């Protein structure tokens, strides 16, 4: 039940990338920590076995500076700009991208953890941590640094890599698919690489170098899903490992982020609504850290550095949305912060990247994606409207001061590369193989009017040539918690459903973060019912506008999204035919009253405190899925749960299922013969992870359930799925 809290700097799975937003896991959310690596594309005859995951993201910004607007017609293709063949001086990464675009999308594999440092690329190859020279990254010519099998873990993978400044050491965080536990190993780089140390339960970690050229590793230790302790360690002849900081407030957690220029290591201390940042000098890491601003309840801020200035993303002041401020690095207190950039209303800052002369903002405004490029010398702004098919960014960690590469994706389209070149002042779209889904499908931006008049955005996908959409199956997806966006990354099974005639609808309800901080505030604590009203309005609007009908409508969610889905099943079950849930949060009241659970105290700002506040307790009772089960007709429900899930314990899900089955049985008895009892299925998977996104077994079970419940022929869908997944 813990969301990986996002920081502006993915510093601080819950979804800033290079800036590392500290998305420490928070109770019912699943997001990735920000990592300084880009995703490696392996150009071999592989199936697409792992989706690109969104890197940590910033949060939201906001100052209306006159800007020049561009449409997708302004994109220049690389071929149009320069029709010459790939030049010898084109960097290796651009060559990989160009090659990728000429490959059928099912013939490449994406590998998540990789980092470039010096003249080497560090990544995972098979069961090994390896490195190769940058120009040989596409070949099989690499040096093995460490064999992961030595850790004796079941199917280990590298989650994150950091290289010491002078490349004497490399650190890597190792995890397994069925557990959130991690091990950080430190390998000494030499003619005979050797593991120097290993640390259990590490969350974030970064290297700095002290005045005597000694490498110092700072890392955070996670205990019972709480990240409160910071350690620093050295190796070699002067080996030590000491605790550096402990956070005493159980509602806060700690995350480390190294500024992009490596000048400061930031120690980010955060709750759901408040933050505090300390600066550790990247040149003198043994000096006491410097506090930027003492925590003020309700004030969030995250820090980046450039040319002796701090750039601060914060919600301080009115409106209470994020805006960008800056101050001199030697005068960091809040009274010295100067407003630098603010955003239009209903704008979310997805991410930020800092360059020598530019700041690039990745934005979502009114459910469409934009990139704003700010010239730091003259405060000029270029605003680029991105293609309407795009629903999400994947930001590539990049040290090239001349270019800003990134990828765009959608739930039904694999990522596509774009590069903004500062010298030309233009955005380039990589040319080559064009995914056929762009011509065979449509993406619609729609709005539904909720009970209180709020307009709720929706993103809808369907086949272009679909006729009589009212007779097509509809899959609705929702989340609506923690201020996190609904996940819109590419999912092969979603692509297959659209190809098979399904309509997909993503409902961006209050409680999520799609329209900024206020959108989240309007759907948390004693405003949770707004999210439920939004979801109901979205489904009714879709039906009213001719998109499917209740007998062909399914609803899906994971983790905290289960609260709204479970509540809708209690209040308006007639809108749905089937439901699929994964690791769902269904018993809000009992969970939030149990302060012995590891994450309850961190979650009070999202759900309220029913133990000490009677108003909160009574409000939760109004929507809590478990508390409101009653004898009535329910849609068929398929729940995937994980045996040792610490965020959403299995016990709560089992209790929900038992109570639900009793209510259905009572309703069936009262209704009499002829009543078709809905199927209620609990699929318990082994392992202790919270959500296993790429589990083929889970995917096939859910799709099979949906087709059977809606009475559809599934013959072709599994054949098509094999194009993307290895069975």
């Amino acid at each position: 039940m813990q969301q990986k809290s996002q920081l502006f700097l993915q510093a601080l799975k819950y979804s800033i990338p290079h800036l590392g937003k500290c998305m420490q896991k928070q109770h019912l959310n699943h997001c990735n920590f920000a990592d300084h690596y880009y995703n490696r594309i392996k150009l071999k005859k592989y199936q697409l076995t792992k989706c690109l995951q969104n890197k940590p993201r910033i949060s939201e910004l906001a100052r209306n500076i006159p800007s020049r607007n561009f449409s997708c017609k302004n994109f220049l293709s690389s071929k149009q700009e320069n029709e010459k063949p790939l030049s010898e001086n084109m960097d290796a990464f651009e060559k990989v991208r160009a090659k990728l675009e000429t490959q059928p999308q099912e013939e490449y594999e994406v590998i998540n953890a990789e980092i470039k440092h010096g003249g080497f690329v560090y990544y995972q190859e098979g069961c090994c941590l390896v490195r190769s020279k940058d120009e040989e990254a596409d070949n099989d010519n690499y040096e093995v640094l460490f064999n992961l099998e030595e850790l004796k873990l079941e199917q280990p993978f590298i989650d994150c890599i950091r290289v010491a400044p002078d490349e004497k050491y490399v650190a890597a965080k190792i995890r397994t698919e069925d557990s959130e536990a991690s091990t950080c190993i430190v390998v000494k780089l030499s003619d005979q690489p050797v593991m120097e140390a290993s640390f259990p339960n590490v969350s974030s970690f970064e290297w700095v170098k002290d005045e005597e050229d000694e490498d110092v590793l700072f890392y955070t230790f996670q205990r019972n899903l709480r990240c409160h302790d910071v350690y620093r360690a050295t190796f070699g002849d002067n080996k030590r490992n000491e605790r550096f900081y402990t956070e005493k407030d159980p509602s806060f957690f700690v995350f480390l982020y190294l500024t992009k220029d490596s000048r400061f290591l930031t120690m980010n201390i955060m709750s759901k609504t408040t933050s505090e940042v300390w600066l550790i000098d990247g040149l003198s890491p043994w000096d006491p850290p410097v506090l930027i601003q003492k925590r003020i309840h309700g004030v969030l801020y995250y820090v980046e550095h450039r040319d002796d200035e701090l750039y601060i993303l914060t919600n301080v002041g009115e409106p209470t949305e994020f805006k960008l401020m800056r101050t001199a690095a030697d005068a960091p207190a809040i009274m010295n912060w100067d407003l630098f950039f603010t955003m239009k209303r209903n704008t979310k800052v997805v991410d930020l990247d800092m360059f020598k002369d530019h700041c690039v903002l990745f934005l979502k405004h009114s459910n469409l994606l934009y990139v704003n490029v700010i010239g730091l010398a003259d405060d000029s702004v270029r605003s680029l409207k991105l293609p309407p098919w795009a629903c999400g960014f994947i930001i590539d960690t990049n040290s090239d001061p001349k270019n800003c590469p990134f990828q765009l994706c959608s739930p039904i389209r694999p990522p596509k590369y774009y590069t903004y070149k500062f010298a030309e002042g233009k955005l380039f779209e990589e040319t080559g193989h064009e995914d056929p889904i762009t011509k065979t499908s449509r993406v619609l931006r729609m709005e539904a009017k909720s009970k209180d008049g709020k307009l709720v955005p929706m993103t809808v996908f369907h086949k272009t040539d679909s006729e009589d959409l009212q007779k097509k199956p509809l899959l609705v997806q929702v989340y609506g918690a923690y201020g996190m966006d609904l996940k819109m990354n590419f999912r092969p099974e979603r692509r297959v459903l659209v190809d098979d005639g399904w309509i997909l609808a993503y409902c961006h309800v209050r409680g999520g973060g799609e329209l900024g901080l206020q959108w989240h505030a309007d759907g948390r604590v004693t405003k949770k019912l707004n999210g439920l009203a939004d979801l109901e309005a979205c489904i009714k609007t879709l039906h009213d506008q001719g998109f499917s009908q209740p007998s062909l409508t399914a609803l899906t969610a994971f983790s905290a999204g289960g609260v709204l889905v479970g509540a809708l099943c209690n209040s308006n079950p007639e809108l749905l035919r089937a439901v699929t849930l994964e690791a769902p949060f269904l018993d809000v009241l009992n969970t939030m009253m149990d302060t012995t659970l590891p994450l309850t105290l961190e979650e009070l700002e999202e759900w309220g405190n029913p133990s000490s506040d009677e108003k909160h307790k009574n409000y939760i009772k109004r929507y809590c899925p478990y508390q409101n089960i009653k004898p009535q007709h329910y849609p068929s429900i398929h729940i995937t749960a994980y045996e040792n899930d610490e965020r959403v314990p299995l016990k709560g899900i089992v209790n929900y299922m038992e109570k639900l089955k009793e209510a259905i049985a009572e309703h069936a008895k009262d209704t009499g013969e002829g009543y078709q009892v809905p199927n209620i299925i609990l699929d318990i998977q082994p392992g202790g992870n919270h959500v296993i996104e790429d589990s083929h077994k889970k995917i096939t079970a859910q799709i099979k359930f949906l087709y059977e419940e809606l009475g559809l022929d599934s013959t072709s869908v599994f054949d098509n799925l094999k194009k993307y997944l290895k069975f």
Side-chain angles (χ1 to χ4, degrees), residues 78-312:
S78 298
K79 182 176 285 188
Q80 175 183 338
E81 184 73 6
N82 183 4
E83 296 185 355
K84 296 178 182 180
L86 294 175
S87 60
E88 293 181 1
N89 61 5
M90 178 185 285
D91 65 59
F93 196 22
E94 286 186 341
K95 289 181 180 179
V96 171
R97 292 201 299 250
K99 289 179 183 179
L100 169 62
E101 291 299 332
T102 65
Q103 300 292 321
Q105 79 277 356
E106 66 269 16
E107 291 188 357
Y108 61 84
E109 177 184 40
V110 178
I111 302 171
N112 283 325
E114 176 172 293
I115 189 168
K116 294 173 72 172
H117 191 101
F120 291 93
V121 180
Y122 295 78
Y123 56 95
Q124 181 175 345
E125 182 69 35
C127 288
C128 296
L129 169 64
V130 305
R131 71 173 177 179
S132 63
K133 291 185 177 180
D134 193 3
E135 64 272 13
E136 298 175 353
D138 294 330
N139 302 324
D140 288 331
N141 185 15
Y142 51 79
E143 175 189 6
V144 174
L145 304 177
F146 180 75
N147 188 336
L148 305 187
E149 293 180 345
E150 292 183 27
L151 299 176
K152 301 188 184 306
L153 299 173
E154 184 71 23
Q155 295 183 318
F157 68 90
I158 298 175
D159 185 57
C160 178
I161 301 171
R162 296 287 187 270
V163 183
D166 57 3
E167 293 191 85
K168 291 180 182 177
Y169 300 96
V170 59
K173 185 167 71 172
I174 316 297
R175 287 186 52 209
T176 64
E177 287 287 1
D178 64 354
S179 174
E180 293 193 49
S182 63
T183 298
C184 179
I185 62 166
V186 177
V187 176
K188 184 177 182 180
L189 300 174
S190 60
D191 292 338
Q192 297 283 326
V194 61
M195 185 174 75
E196 183 89 0
S198 67
F199 306 109
N201 302 317
V202 170
S203 176
S204 57
F205 57 104
E206 298 287 354
W207 291 99
V208 294
K209 183 190 288 188
D210 67 12
E211 303 92 321
E212 299 179 359
D213 287 338
E214 185 174 39
D215 294 312
V216 184
L217 180 70
F218 284 78
Y219 66 91
T220 55
F221 177 75
Q222 182 170 289
R223 181 187 294 109
N224 294 327
L225 301 180
R226 296 174 177 174
C227 203
H228 291 161
D229 297 316
V230 180
Y231 287 79
R232 60 185 173 190
T234 57
F235 310 94
D237 296 335
N238 188 24
K239 185 176 291 187
R240 74 182 96 170
N241 185 31
E242 60 189 20
R243 187 163 57 181
F244 175 74
Y245 175 85
T246 296
E247 174 56 38
K248 302 295 186 182
D249 190 329
S251 65
F252 282 74
F253 61 88
V254 187
F255 197 92
L256 301 173
Y257 166 71
L258 187 66
T259 58
K260 189 174 181 182
D261 62 3
S262 301
R263 182 62 184 83
F264 292 103
L265 176 63
T266 63
M267 185 169 66
N268 302 270
I269 305 165
M270 297 189 65
S271 73
K272 298 291 189 296
T273 62
T274 305
S275 62
E276 176 179 289
V277 181
W278 293 74
L279 294 180
I280 299 169
D281 194 326
L283 303 177
S284 302
W286 302 107
D287 291 349
V290 175
L291 174 64
I292 292 182
Q293 174 58 48
K294 185 177 180 180
R295 65 192 74 172
I296 302 172
H297 181 72
V299 174
L300 291 164
Y301 71 97
Y302 316 104
V303 180
E304 182 54 272
H305 176 266
R306 169 193 170 272
D307 287 352
D308 296 326
E309 287 188 314
L310 301 177
Y311 288 78
I312 301 171

Side-chain angles (χ1 to χ4, degrees), residues 297-364:
H297 181 72
V299 174
L300 291 164
Y301 71 97
Y302 316 104
V303 180
E304 182 54 272
H305 176 266
R306 169 193 170 272
D307 287 352
D308 296 326
E309 287 188 314
L310 301 177
Y311 288 78
I312 301 171
L313 181 69
T314 179
N315 67 336
V316 69
E318 295 294 335
T320 55
E321 298 290 345
F322 276 114
K323 65 274 297 178
L324 192 60
M325 296 185 164
R326 63 181 170 187
T327 185
D330 58 1
I334 194 169
M335 70 280 296
N336 300 315
W337 298 0
D338 292 325
L339 183 64
F340 176 60
F341 195 84
T342 59
M343 284 293 106
K344 295 178 182 178
R345 185 172 167 271
N346 292 338
T347 297
K348 173 176 180 127
V349 174
V350 177
D351 207 343
L352 177 153
D353 199 1
M354 190 69 71
F355 295 83
K356 182 178 182 297
D357 299 315
H358 298 85
C359 176
V360 179
L361 302 175
F362 300 88
L363 310 174
K364 181 181 289 185

Side-chain angles (χ1 to χ4, degrees), residues 614-661:
E614 196 67 20
K615 179 183 176 182
H616 288 177
K617 182 177 181 179
N618 291 332
Y619 190 86
I620 291 173
K621 284 181 177 179
R622 294 171 61 188
Y623 69 82
C624 175
Y626 178 79
Q627 298 295 325
N628 290 280
I629 293 173
K630 56 197 172 194
Q632 65 173 15
H633 176 71
Y634 279 88
S636 293
I637 299 176
H638 182 287
I639 294 181
T640 304
Y642 298 94
E643 192 173 16
N644 299 312
D645 189 340
E646 294 181 82
R647 300 182 182 279
V648 182
L650 181 60
K651 179 182 177 181
I653 296 175
V654 171
N655 290 342
Y656 171 86
M657 295 293 275
E658 290 176 350
K659 186 175 181 180
L660 180 62
K661 288 180 178 179

Side-chain angles (χ1 to χ4, degrees), residues 342-513:
T342 59
M343 284 293 106
K344 295 178 182 178
R345 185 172 167 271
N346 292 338
T347 297
K348 173 176 180 127
V349 174
V350 177
D351 207 343
L352 177 153
D353 199 1
M354 190 69 71
F355 295 83
K356 182 178 182 297
D357 299 315
H358 298 85
C359 176
V360 179
L361 302 175
F362 300 88
L363 310 174
K364 181 181 289 185
H365 175 67
S366 297
N367 208 21
L368 292 170
L369 301 186
Y370 294 78
V371 168
N372 277 13
V373 182
I374 305 173
L376 298 177
D378 56 6
D379 289 353
S380 61
V381 178
R382 232 169 222 201
S383 182
L384 304 163
K385 185 177 181 180
L386 299 176
W389 63 263
C391 301
F393 292 103
I394 300 170
I395 314 302
D396 296 312
T397 299
N398 173 47
S399 58
D400 182 355
K402 298 179 181 179
N403 301 311
C404 178
F406 58 92
Q407 300 171 70
L408 297 177
C409 64
S410 87
I412 65 171
R413 175 171 176 161
K416 184 176 179 65
Y417 276 98
Y418 293 79
T419 301
Y420 185 85
K421 299 191 175 183
F422 298 116
E424 292 90 334
K426 296 171 183 175
L427 184 65
F428 290 82
E429 176 184 4
E430 295 297 338
T431 59
H433 174 76
E434 185 64 28
D435 196 303
I437 197 72
T438 57
K439 295 181 179 179
T440 61
S441 69
R442 293 184 65 195
V443 56
L444 305 173
R445 275 14 186 250
M446 300 173 59
E447 290 181 326
K449 183 176 284 189
S450 197
K451 278 195 235 177
D452 59 359
K454 281 285 186 182
L455 296 178
V456 184
M458 297 183 286
T459 308
V460 179
F461 303 88
H462 68 83
K463 285 183 72 172
T464 305
D465 59 359
S466 288
E467 297 179 358
D468 199 356
L469 290 172
Q470 194 170 22
K471 295 181 180 179
K472 299 296 182 182
L474 166 65
L475 181 62
V476 179
Q477 186 157 320
V478 71
Y479 188 71
Y482 302 111
M484 300 306 302
D485 291 6
L486 188 57
K487 295 182 73 172
M488 301 286 283
N489 56 309
F490 173 62
R491 299 300 307 159
E493 65 272 22
R494 300 291 188 249
R495 164 72 166 264
V496 169
L497 290 178
V498 169
D499 286 341
D500 205 41
W502 283 69
I503 305 164
L504 302 185
Y506 291 75
C507 303
H508 310 291
V509 303
R510 279 174 284 185

